[in-house]
Amino acid sequence: MAQAEWWQGGVIYQIYPRSFMDLNGDGIGDLAGIAARLDHLVALGVDAIWISPIFPSPMADFGYDISDYCAIDPMFGTIADFDALLAAAHGRGLRVLLDLVPGHTSDKHPWFRDSRSGRDAARRDWYVWRDPAPDGGPPNNWLSEFGGPAWTFDAPSGQYYLNIFLPEQPALNWRNPEVAEAIAGVMRFWFDRGVDGFRVDAFENLVMDAAFRNNPPNPEWTPPLGPARSLLGQHTKHQPELVAIAQAMRRVAAEYAPERLLIGEAYGEPEEVVRYYGPALDGFQQPFNFQLIGLDWTPAAVAEVINEYEAALPPGAWPNWVLGNHDRGRIASRVGPAQARVAMVLLLTLRGTPTIYQGDELGMENVPIPPDRVRDPWEINVPGHGLGRDPVRTPLAWEEGPGAGFTTGTPWLPIDTRPEVCVARQAGDPASMVAFTRRLLALRRAESALALGAVEVLHAGGGVLAYVRQAPDGGPRLAITLNFTGREQPLPEGLVGELVLSSRNANPDAGAPLAPDEARILRLRG
Ligand code: NOJ
Ligand code: CA
């Protein structure tokens, strides 16, 4: 293999800035807070942080509604705080990725204020405006991800504008080259400051059907899926024009040396998502792979996902894996706390770049949110479907005590203050989840088989998943064996080797049966 890029062997850590560390006591995390806690990330052993949006925003969708792409929201600090954080991170060998939200702005963004000022406005066509249907209703049946129609009526001009998310998040018109140029300018603004890359928000929703055709009904829809899933995304998601947009964004990243990293957020089938690598690997270096989110937690289902995704990858494309983020239930709650280590081993030993969501290294679980503390507009608009994202966005607990070392004020969301989930307690305990995650990351760094090697699934059944990672150039082979059950399971046949790591705190015999919920890594002989 040619010299690997840093992000191929590297590990990314997602920071949800409102909930990482609050230094000024207003109950909301801030940039100075992140800078103050970088040691945790260095001790953990990650290579890069991706910070969810920190730009000026009315916070209708907690920063995913941006009113100025080239500044910092005062809630998070100043541009000087940002520069200081970037320098501090770089000084510790951590790369910094920001969140690029190209699909929509805030309705308070000057671009949209101009656009809605009248049909002749200079930027009218920067957003998606349509005449009403003949009955005066929305132009077609498209639905907002967050409930209700995807169209908002603007009485003064007599037209509707498109909002794939909240009405406070009007969709930009990517068929207008001026929009593409403006967003390229945003990328350059941050790249010029030294940012190492972007995670690109909601990429599958960036362009809509040019003819505005209705979406067909989803035959598999049942109410728990939420109303937006009652239609298929045929004309609103994964449109063919997106590949050229990924390529154009990549050209901007390639203006810089070293080239900057682009990670595209797109939910879809493997064959839809891998298109964004680009036909000549000239699109996103990493279209996010969410196949592990929302699958049945069984060896067979995970093996199928590994094989399907590996088969769908274009030749030479580098894979990536995600277990959780600020939008989806906590992994420890989805699979149960006893399986959290098995899940972490899976994430950090599959072939590809892993992204760890903040708090998963502590085994954080979804935190119940009392009705009077619900903040997520999705839960407020579409209550009762379990769509609310507040439970996965609660602050990190750093220390024991009421503000958990996160804040001296009132936290914006409740904190899980059980002593066993806080960083200080876990860092001092070699048997903790965080200590285990550090060992695992150190092993990943030391073993090229784990960082860069090939993968082969050997066994998926009887509650056990086993796969082998083979170091480049015929180097060592490591077998990863995962017990998905709470019962002892025999080790798959033929796996003879030395123990490298076990998720149990007492070291088992390399060849002993797997203990309940055990993950074990062996160095294979020969
Ligand atoms: C995906 C982001 O991850 C999510 O938090 C946000 O609400 C939507 N995109 C809209 O920007
Ligand atoms: Ca703060």
Side-chain angles (χ1 to χ4, degrees):
M1 171 186 267
Q3 180 69 34
E5 304 282 351
W6 71 263
W7 44 266
Q8 293 185 295
V11 176
I12 297 168
Y13 182 96
Q14 180 191 356
I15 290 185
Y16 191 69
R18 296 180 69 90
S19 292
F20 193 70
M21 175 67 203
D22 168 30
L23 215 62
N24 68 351
D26 66 356
I28 298 170
D30 40 53
L31 296 181
I34 299 174
R37 295 291 191 183
L38 287 178
D39 286 348
H40 171 61
L41 305 175
V42 172
L44 197 59
V46 299
D47 298 85
I49 54 177
W50 146 40
I51 311 175
S52 283
I54 49 178
F55 317 107
S57 165
M59 302 287 164
D61 189 23
F62 297 109
Y64 284 96
D65 49 318
I66 295 172
S67 53
D68 181 352
Y69 284 100
C70 298
I72 299 293
D73 194 287
M75 181 182 282
F76 294 121
T78 63
I79 195 86
D81 292 331
F82 177 76
D83 289 340
L85 170 60
L86 188 64
H90 283 167
R92 285 172 164 79
L94 291 168
R95 305 241 180 15
V96 176
L97 313 173
L98 293 184
D99 212 310
L100 182 71
V101 186
H104 45 268
T105 67
S106 161
D107 60 339
K108 304 293 184 298
H109 195 294
W111 299 343
F112 187 69
R113 286 185 194 275
D114 176 64
S115 185
R116 83 180 312 175
S117 69
R119 290 190 183 215
D120 300 328
R123 290 198 173 85
R124 183 68 169 181
D125 197 36
W126 281 41
Y127 293 82
V128 184
W129 291 97
R130 299 288 286 170
D131 288 332
D135 67 357
N140 65 20
N141 75 348
W142 296 351
L143 293 174
S144 154
E145 293 291 322
F146 290 158
W151 296 98
T152 301
F153 189 58
D154 176 61
S157 69
Q159 286 192 309
Y160 283 84
Y161 66 85
L162 180 69
N163 55 276
I164 292 295
F165 296 95
L166 296 173
E168 293 88 345
Q169 294 168 296
L172 282 162
N173 174 15
W174 273 81
R175 295 184 183 279
N176 182 340
E178 290 173 4
V179 167
E181 210 24 66
I183 296 294
V186 171
M187 295 171 72
R188 291 188 188 104
F189 176 86
W190 293 105
F191 288 158
D192 287 341
R193 290 197 104 78
V195 166
D196 300 286
F198 282 108
R199 170 267 194 190
V200 184
D201 183 72
F203 192 70
E204 77 270 32
N205 284 309
L206 212 60
V207 176
M208 310 296 139
D209 178 45
F212 292 90
R213 283 170 287 183
N214 280 335
N215 272 330
N218 176 3
E220 281 163 26
W221 179 75
T222 54
L225 284 175
R229 295 279 90 79
S230 65
L231 299 179
L232 294 175
Q234 191 176 326
H235 299 302
T236 45
K237 291 182 196 287
H238 298 293
Q239 302 300 295
E241 292 86 342
L242 287 173
V243 174
I245 297 177
Q247 289 171 311
M249 288 182 172
R250 176 67 175 277
R251 284 196 293 276
V252 179
E255 290 168 12
Y256 293 80
E259 189 177 41
R260 307 301 155 93
L261 174 63
L262 296 179
I263 305 174
E265 185 212 27
Y267 286 87
E269 297 300 320
E271 58 277 11
E272 290 172 319
V273 168
V274 300
R275 256 186 249 147
Y276 307 131
Y277 281 104
L281 301 186
D282 51 353
F284 297 139
Q285 293 98 324
Q286 300 273 270
F288 259 146
N289 162 25
F290 295 120
Q291 305 302 320
L292 290 178
I293 292 187
L295 86 180
D296 288 343
W297 193 246
T298 66
V302 173
E304 194 182 322
V305 151
I306 298 170
N307 289 329
E308 249 181 32
Y309 174 66
E310 285 277 347
L313 283 173
W318 185 250
N320 72 85
W321 296 94
V322 181
L323 272 182
N325 56 36
H326 63 295
D327 294 328
R328 302 293 160 133
R330 286 269 180 199
I331 181 67
S333 299
R334 297 205 312 268
V335 301
Q339 281 284 306
R341 292 183 189 205
V342 170
M344 189 58 91
V345 172
L346 179 73
L347 176 68
L348 297 182
T349 62
L350 284 174
R351 186 177 86 101
T353 306
T355 300
I356 301 175
Y357 178 50
Q358 77 177 33
D360 284 351
E361 76 277 23
L362 304 167
M364 273 180 81
E365 295 170 56
N366 294 338
V367 176
I369 308 293
D372 62 331
R373 295 202 63 183
V374 169
R375 304 291 303 270
D376 184 10
W378 203 354
E379 180 65 32
I380 293 168
N381 293 353
V382 193
H385 289 268
L387 298 172
R389 299 165 294 177
D390 296 326
V392 306
R393 296 176 172 182
T394 61
L396 273 196
W398 295 95
E399 292 150 20
E400 294 180 42
F406 165 75
T407 185
T408 53
T410 306
W412 76 288
L413 281 176
I415 306 181
D416 184 348
T417 52
R418 287 175 301 156
E420 62 270 25
V421 293
C422 82
V423 175
R425 173 79 84 95
Q426 290 201 15
D429 174 6
S432 70
M433 177 78 184
V434 93
F436 176 67
T437 307
R438 287 177 184 178
R439 288 199 292 278
L440 197 51
L441 281 164
L443 179 67
R444 206 179 183 281
R445 200 173 289 282
E447 295 284 350
S448 63
L450 294 182
L452 296 169
V455 66
E456 187 190 351
V457 176
L458 284 188
H459 174 98
V464 174
L465 174 68
Y467 48 94
V468 171
R469 300 291 311 279
Q470 161 90 60
D473 304 326
R477 291 193 307 146
L478 298 188
I480 292 85
T481 58
L482 307 174
N483 183 352
F484 279 59
T485 73
R487 297 175 307 280
E488 185 178 284
Q489 301 285 354
L491 206 60
E493 265 175 49
L495 289 182
V496 185
E498 287 121 49
L499 179 72
V500 176
L501 185 77
S502 165
S503 61
R504 305 202 68 203
N505 290 315
N507 275 347
D509 232 26
L514 290 167
D517 304 299
E518 184 186 352
R520 188 185 299 169
I521 303 181
L522 303 175
R523 187 181 315 278
L524 296 180
R525 298 221 177 99

